[in-house]
């Protein structure tokens, strides 16, 4: 049982050491993992959702987000229901 535990700890330690080499070589810096920070994505004109939404809003100030459209649909349903009850 002790041999198995030591073997497991040794394998995990070796794995962590090998995984940390990449971080040590880079100086602790990671490339940007965000869509907008990727050079290839920028070349294709792909941005993150928030940036794409901001761009669309600049083109069309009346552009509604999905949440806003859902809210408007709920309000429309309520208004229709209220009008029907009032008849």
């Amino acid at each position: 049982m002790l041999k198995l535990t030591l073997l497991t700890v040794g394998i995990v330690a070796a794995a962590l050491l090998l995984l940390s080499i990449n971080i040590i070589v880079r100086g602790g810096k990671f490339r940007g993992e965000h869509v907008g920070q990727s050079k290839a994505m920028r070349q294709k004109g792909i941005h993150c959702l928030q940036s794409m939404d901001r761009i669309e809003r600049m083109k069309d100030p009346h552009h509604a987000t999905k949440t806003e459209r859902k809210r408007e649909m709920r309000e429309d349903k309520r208004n229709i229901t209220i009008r029907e009850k009032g008849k």
Side-chain angles (χ1 to χ4, degrees):
M1 183 72 176
L2 183 61
K3 288 182 182 181
L4 181 61
T5 304
L6 291 176
L7 180 65
T8 304
V9 170
I11 291 173
V12 170
L16 289 174
L17 178 66
L18 291 172
L19 288 170
S20 66
I21 289 174
N22 195 11
I23 297 170
I24 294 168
V25 169
R26 285 189 199 173
K29 296 182 181 178
F30 290 97
R31 284 179 279 160
E33 300 297 329
H34 198 264
V35 174
Q37 296 172 341
S38 171
K39 184 178 179 181
M41 292 293 190
R42 281 195 309 255
Q43 289 174 347
K44 292 180 181 180
I46 299 172
H47 307 284
C48 71
L49 180 64
Q50 292 173 343
S51 298
M52 299 277 290
D53 187 54
R54 185 173 57 247
I55 290 167
E56 289 298 317
R57 284 179 182 272
M58 289 170 60
K59 290 180 186 175
D60 180 14
H62 301 291
H63 172 76
T65 62
K66 191 174 185 179
T67 306
E68 290 169 346
R69 279 181 261 151
K70 284 182 179 178
R71 185 180 314 120
E72 288 172 1
M73 289 174 68
R74 282 193 305 263
E75 288 174 1
D76 288 344
K77 286 180 183 177
R78 283 187 205 132
N79 291 338
I80 291 170
T81 307
I82 291 170
R83 278 188 235 138
E84 289 173 354
K85 287 181 180 179
K87 288 183 179 180

